[in-house]
Amino acid sequence: MTHGKAPTDPRSTLVVTAHAGDFVWRAGGAIALAASRGEKVTIACLTYGERGESAKAWREGRSLEEIKALRRGEAEQAAATLGAEVVFFDAGDYPLTATRELTDRLVAVLRDTRPDVVLTHPLDDPYNGDHPAAARMALDARVLAQAVGYPAEGEVIGAPPVFFFEPHQPEMCGFRPEVLLDISEVWETKRKAMECLAAQRHLWDYYTDLAVRRGVQLKRNAGPNLGLPHTTYAEAYMRPYPQVTAVLA
Amino acid sequence: MTHGKAPTDPRSTLVVTAHAGDFVWRAGGAIALAASRGEKVTIACLTYGERGESAKAWREGRSLEEIKALRRGEAEQAAATLGAEVVFFDAGDYPLTATRELTDRLVAVLRDTRPDVVLTHPLDDPYNGDHPAAARMALDARVLAQAVGYPAEGEVIGAPPVFFFEPHQPEMCGFRPEVLLDISEVWETKRKAMECLAAQRHLWDYYTDLAVRRGVQLKRNAGPNLGLPHTTYAEAYMRPYPQVTAVLA
Amino acid sequence: MTHGKAPTDPRSTLVVTAHAGDFVWRAGGAIALAASRGEKVTIACLTYGERGESAKAWREGRSLEEIKALRRGEAEQAAATLGAEVVFFDAGDYPLTATRELTDRLVAVLRDTRPDVVLTHPLDDPYNGDHPAAARMALDARVLAQAVGYPAEGEVIGAPPVFFFEPHQPEMCGFRPEVLLDISEVWETKRKAMECLAAQRHLWDYYTDLAVRRGVQLKRNAGPNLGLPHTTYAEAYMRPYPQVTAVLA
Amino acid sequence: MTHGKAPTDPRSTLVVTAHAGDFVWRAGGAIALAASRGEKVTIACLTYGERGESAKAWREGRSLEEIKALRRGEAEQAAATLGAEVVFFDAGDYPLTATRELTDRLVAVLRDTRPDVVLTHPLDDPYNGDHPAAARMALDARVLAQAVGYPAEGEVIGAPPVFFFEPHQPEMCGFRPEVLLDISEVWETKRKAMECLAAQRHLWDYYTDLAVRRGVQLKRNAGPNLGLPHTTYAEAYMRPYPQVTAVLA
Amino acid sequence: MTHGKAPTDPRSTLVVTAHAGDFVWRAGGAIALAASRGEKVTIACLTYGERGESAKAWREGRSLEEIKALRRGEAEQAAATLGAEVVFFDAGDYPLTATRELTDRLVAVLRDTRPDVVLTHPLDDPYNGDHPAAARMALDARVLAQAVGYPAEGEVIGAPPVFFFEPHQPEMCGFRPEVLLDISEVWETKRKAMECLAAQRHLWDYYTDLAVRRGVQLKRNAGPNLGLPHTTYAEAYMRPYPQVTAVLA
Amino acid sequence: MTHGKAPTDPRSTLVVTAHAGDFVWRAGGAIALAASRGEKVTIACLTYGERGESAKAWREGRSLEEIKALRRGEAEQAAATLGAEVVFFDAGDYPLTATRELTDRLVAVLRDTRPDVVLTHPLDDPYNGDHPAAARMALDARVLAQAVGYPAEGEVIGAPPVFFFEPHQPEMCGFRPEVLLDISEVWETKRKAMECLAAQRHLWDYYTDLAVRRGVQLKRNAGPNLGLPHTTYAEAYMRPYPQVTAVLA
């Protein structure tokens, strides 16, 4: 019914985030895993996080344009490390406001990249309204891009599964780990990508600890596992739409 | 850490249900699919549904023993049709009461069958208290069977994923389809198994309609699908524990 | 399918409560309204509230038997005032424990009174575990009484609608007013019934204020009302099962 | 307090929907029932569903104006079949965006039709953002229309009860059947109205099956029913506001 | 990290409300308590409630400007009675619409008053959309005001705890009393402030009854209390963010 | 109304846990803090965790009695380190079953220790049914101990606030940090107590990381903080009952 991609096309992943650093901390493992399998990963980064997540640079007296350039450079380096391409919308953060125009630009990206899977923020975050704004636009655009009547370039897409990555304070955002993704084999890559974000050095260990913690949880839910390595690293995700499968596992 | 099965063992599925007919209506597709792949499926049937789900037979004046035999025969025939083995606990229904002894017998079945996946009822059902009682015991037994200190025969098991199958009035039981299983290729088998339950003829079409309806929903959530057949049949499940995976899809 | 009552039979209401005073404070208006229409109302009172709700009497040095007799007398007087009959189970309170035997006795009452509507406590109450225990048994018995295979006297009943009446601390019990019952025309009767409970004099005004408050809320939700009296008295209820109707209103 | 309608006025129902076909599939029974009792039913249709729900016409190469005309024609025919009047806002769909102007136009319709009951979409729908947008405006307008200070023509209205009709994927929208409306006596009319929507032929049987399914559920919740017909057809609704009543039933 | 106030500064409270009367009915006790301790309390009142909460004045034929002046006068008198300062935004009510400009003005107030605690409406209110709009802006502004990169006068603030005060129909707004504040010692002051709102005389007793009711609940949750006065007055609040403490109590 | 303790009595804390190690990992900081202020802390430990949480000992071939002794010794040493007294019920774990007798023994402990605060497990834990069983009994006993009519030694108690400590997989247990307790000043003591539990060495760092993580969260919610130390350690708790307070903070 929809014009899917040919079976020979590589799988495609689209990551929609509010700020320049989000994709690294929250989904770096998933991105590196997909890239390591030869898949295409595109990151739509709606803002540079220039106002809300660059306190250090502001305190050092940098200008807005300097800060944007700094954040952009770090994010590009991190994306390259993970094996992904990043697209910047420069929509302005703090607050990022959902608009029809931004949503329309996301429809264009969706019809262009034709993702098999979409990653974005959860819909609630009482600590940062930019995250839900980005997620809301990502979900809206994903629905619009499926409609043949929607006036945008490109062919309609199917209904790719969506995954919400883990917010900074999960329990306060209604986040429950519904999917635990084993990222052990790309862990070193994710760590390297995190280290590209020099201004947020205090988060390097924080997100390393989180990966270990989610890895412990993965092992507690892993069924009859025989040979999991001693330290398993994992990322947690939610699914707003049902999983479609041919096997219960 | 746990003593899993050897990689050469076939996969094993355990279905824990309250009444003799439950596994057919609610999970017949999953059972037939697993069996069709050469996997082992065991159904632990806690009661025959002799009091709560045999109104027709009671109105015809059958005795309790006759009704149990009737239900047992139908269930065995349906299980054979699906390719599964069924074990009867004869614990007495309406009400089925959770007890330590029944839970202990389920631990024994778990350690014996060493399932890779467990299917059971959801934990809420305001129309039939036997269903939650069965589910509660299934979940408790699954936890106990993992403990080396629990005094039962057999080796400890891992933490097999659990799936709740769909209740008769899903919205009233807090049921949300989290997993949609494509059962199109075994649909004819499930229909045949349903037809073994002669006394509940009115449910044959009812559950056929439900399978079509869940199939429509599956297609709406199936991502960039190209070649799904016109009529897709599906069953819906919930996951009380997180999915563990190496790929987001 | 079920053996309903003849259309000429008066409507029947069954109220299942944990303690002797509950039906007065929480459902006295509904009871008086039904009785005022010539309907039959039966109250199944599982305990006298002798331990948990009789602090004053204990402090005065009364014996257990004296307290039971006191509470029984007050409740009978209040029931008579409202126009209802009360049946005491004397099951022992604080704690009231759900048992198969008590549930079975409730099945017998259900089959005997053949209610068109059942009133009971909500299923959660962190301040008094006896209330949920009574509600759980009432709901279980209502399901069992519908099964022809359940071994009890009397004919099977239909599926009477259930209403949960308002607990003492509604927001802490997950209580949301889903039905607002206008009890203005029987308000004086309810007040008189409350005054039968001499030992809980402090609650007379408390529950009068609550009735006024729920009346204000009723008026705020009453649609295009023309002629509601200045002071409207109301009681709030929840519905655990869907309303069945021929008109949306 | 409010200026209600005179007791001699017929009852009035207002249906607020996002797209041209919504009122047929989701509330056609309620509309036909009200009309069959001689009541007035007005449908405020915010868009023609020209972009989001007209895939077939787009694939056939129709222009936007052609598609709007087509959808309008079908909807008018269906409304006439049901016995209702339909008002088109032509606000543009996919996305339908909530605005102050649209809300204001709905206030005017509310003050003009003075409804005794309002039907609209539920507030959540992860598959179609137009539905919540329409519902949100309907609810806002209903509140504004009650305020004497709100600058619009007409007299203030009361607070009419609101019913949310059933979305296409109920469990994914948090939809729980709180009211089951028996539409058996107007079933043939609803079916005829559905058949006016020629482009969505695949939904005719789908929504027939749903009506049967909700009818089965209605019978399971219908209390001591004596003479329900073999096949009962029903529609399911939610109530965001409490029911106000003089009788518990 | 943040530039807090000097330890010698008095504590500061900021109350953000939609309409001129809200702070009196809902948080008058908290305001009076803080003021009685010598603390500074600022009320940001986004509208005068001129359209939605001034029915009496409209019926008397007053003009919009007269009504605004009336409401402003009453609110100033009530604020003075409580010991607080009130700032009017005159943003227009019914509907109050969240905008970037209003949010920005709230950031300025936050950076200016540097509150130790923020009080506002809960995020849901199906009876009045202005309340959630005000709360949403208050929460957004509180986050923005913490960012050094946000372009506003004044120094960044910390993350002051937030309390939601009680809406008019608490159970319908998802309101659960999470904090019960004893306002007995300032009760007379709150009553006097309520009496400044002459046009809403019917609410004086209503909110007095509510304060008594919350006082009863406070005593039921007060732990090993020895000497609480016979009548305790209280206000209820929710906490959207975790409490930070050095003692569990 | 209740017989509280004399103002001169030290504060008393009661911790009710399922297994011997629970109080250390989950509430060691709160216990050490209270003890450091000269308060009395009593731990009611319902089982030794001999079957469910002693896998290593079972694998080493220890007997049931040896394992109990081992766990008891470790727990006593940890309690002494924290400054608390521990009472063992030896009720048998995996499963721990809620009974009237155990609840009654807890009533006795409550009337004896007269706690100002009660700590226990949350009510849901899909990974370990013993935890909810312990919590359920703790809450029931707390209610029963308040009733003068309940037949137990000692005087009735007030209604002490309850705190649920953090489970091992918080998001899967519905756990949301509602209270963040700063335990920095007793952190070394908690670490030492953890090290008493030699068999669970892998948890030492795990719970150290958790304390750091909760400390980061505490700082993010701490309001206008001036001088928090670089590393803050914290424990998270939930409140099932409302907080009673004289100051909003």
Side-chain angles (χ1 to χ4, degrees), chain B residues 118-156:
Chain B
V118 173
L119 312 185
T120 191
H121 302 269
L123 290 168
D124 288 306
D125 190 337
Y127 294 93
N128 195 320
D130 293 3
H131 296 157
R136 173 54 57 212
M137 288 189 281
L139 294 190
D140 285 350
R142 173 185 164 279
V143 168
L144 298 175
Q146 296 175 48
V148 64
Y150 187 83
E153 293 298 308
E155 299 217 359
V156 298

Side-chain angles (χ1 to χ4, degrees), chain A residues 141-182:
Chain A
R142 172 185 165 279
V143 168
L144 298 175
Q146 297 175 48
V148 65
Y150 187 83
E153 292 298 307
E155 300 217 359
V156 299
I157 64 164
V162 178
F163 294 86
F164 292 152
F165 38 68
E166 179 165 353
H168 198 65
Q169 299 200 41
E171 304 93 346
M172 302 308 296
C173 303
F175 187 86
R176 205 175 68 106
E178 294 179 337
V179 180
L180 292 165
L181 178 70
D182 188 340

Side-chain angles (χ1 to χ4, degrees), chain F residues 50-205:
Chain F
E50 61 270 18
R51 296 196 179 282
E53 307 200 335
S54 307
K56 186 158 165 286
W58 286 102
R59 293 196 196 288
E60 293 168 357
R62 305 294 183 91
S63 72
L64 181 62
E65 287 313 312
E66 282 173 324
I67 293 170
K68 284 186 180 183
L70 184 78
R71 301 275 310 195
R72 180 185 183 116
E74 287 179 358
E76 283 174 337
Q77 198 186 343
T81 303
L82 296 170
E85 183 192 0
V86 58
V87 180
F88 296 99
F89 278 51
D90 193 12
D93 76 332
Y94 252 57
L96 168 62
T97 306
T99 66
R100 203 148 169 165
E101 289 66 33
L102 283 172
T103 306
D104 188 65
R105 287 174 63 189
L106 281 170
V107 171
V109 172
L110 278 151
R111 290 209 176 161
D112 182 50
T113 58
R114 315 192 63 68
D116 295 271
V117 55
V118 172
L119 311 185
T120 191
H121 301 270
L123 289 168
D124 288 306
D125 191 337
Y127 294 92
N128 195 321
D130 293 3
H131 297 157
R136 172 55 55 212
M137 287 189 280
L139 294 190
D140 285 350
R142 172 185 166 279
V143 168
L144 298 175
Q146 296 174 47
V148 64
Y150 187 83
E153 292 298 308
E155 299 219 358
V156 299
I157 63 166
V162 177
F163 294 86
F164 293 152
F165 38 68
E166 179 165 354
H168 197 65
Q169 299 200 43
E171 304 95 345
M172 304 307 299
C173 303
F175 186 87
R176 206 175 70 105
E178 294 180 337
V179 180
L180 292 165
L181 178 70
D182 188 339
I183 61 166
S184 304
E185 66 177 73
V186 295
W187 171 250
E188 291 307 320
T189 306
K190 176 167 180 177
R191 175 80 196 198
K192 272 196 210 98
M194 294 199 294
E195 292 175 4
C196 298
L197 308 182
Q200 291 164 290
R201 184 174 214 112
H202 61 291
L203 292 179
W204 299 356
D205 284 354

Side-chain angles (χ1 to χ4, degrees), chain B residues 7 28 43 50 53 83 95 101 116 118 136-137 159 188 202 204 217 226:
Chain B
I43 299 151
E50 61 269 19
E53 306 200 336
E101 290 67 32
D116 296 272
V118 173
R136 173 54 57 212
M137 288 189 281
E188 291 307 319
H202 61 290
W204 300 355
Q217 193 174 18
L226 270 171

Side-chain angles (χ1 to χ4, degrees), chain E residues 156-211:
Chain E
V156 300
I157 63 166
V162 178
F163 294 86
F164 293 151
F165 38 68
E166 179 165 354
H168 198 64
Q169 299 199 44
E171 303 94 345
M172 303 307 297
C173 303
F175 186 87
R176 206 174 68 106
E178 294 179 338
V179 180
L180 292 165
L181 178 70
D182 189 340
I183 60 166
S184 304
E185 66 178 73
V186 294
W187 171 249
E188 290 308 321
T189 306
K190 175 168 181 176
R191 176 78 197 197
K192 271 195 209 98
M194 295 199 295
E195 292 175 3
C196 297
L197 307 182
Q200 291 165 289
R201 184 176 214 110
H202 60 290
L203 292 179
W204 300 355
D205 284 354
Y206 188 85
Y207 277 95
T208 300
D209 287 346
L210 179 64

Side-chain angles (χ1 to χ4, degrees), chain E residues 232-246:
Chain E
T232 302
Y233 297 90
E235 284 173 348
Y237 293 88
M238 290 188 81
R239 278 183 188 277
Y241 294 99
Q243 178 189 7
V244 169
T245 187

